[in-house]
Amino acid sequence: MSDVRVHNPCPHCGASGRRRSLRQVTPTVATGYYQCTDVECSAAWVAQTEITHLISESAKPNPRICIPFRPVLRTSKVATPTPANDPEQSPAQMVN
């Protein structure tokens, strides 16, 4: 996977970064080595990518890895409004 263009802008000049190599640290963390495509800048940097949660579940989950499905939403004391299309809401509740 070397020499792959990615949208990872240079922290100095903002030009595109080019990933030169990628090293898998753990099943959920990878370290990428990048170089600026602007010849006058030529900065090089290291960035880590981490899988924090899943958006959709895998059809072939790895039993050795535990990745949360999505972050837990914060609960507040303020009542959450019910959507207008909530099937649990009776017509009498919809009229104020």
Side-chain angles (χ1 to χ4, degrees):
M1 280 201 173
S2 64
D3 201 32
V4 176
R5 285 189 194 263
V6 295
H7 184 67
N8 190 341
C10 174
H12 296 286
C13 72
S16 293
R18 179 174 290 165
R19 188 172 66 209
R20 306 306 275 174
S21 65
L22 183 69
R23 183 174 60 93
Q24 199 72 36
V25 179
T26 70
T28 59
V29 177
T31 300
Y33 296 82
Y34 297 85
Q35 185 173 16
C36 181
T37 56
D38 183 340
V39 178
E40 293 178 358
C41 177
S42 295
W45 64 94
V46 177
Q48 282 197 323
T49 304
E50 178 185 10
I51 298 172
T52 58
H53 62 278
L54 298 175
I55 296 171
S56 64
E57 294 185 46
S58 171
K60 297 167 55 174
N62 184 340
R64 295 177 292 165
I65 299 172
C66 181
I67 302 172
F69 180 62
R70 61 179 171 220
V72 177
L73 299 175
R74 287 187 284 169
T75 57
S76 66
K77 293 181 182 179
V78 178
T80 306
T82 305
N85 61 351
D86 186 354
E88 300 294 324
Q89 194 175 36
S90 70
Q93 291 175 321
M94 291 188 216
V95 180
N96 288 339

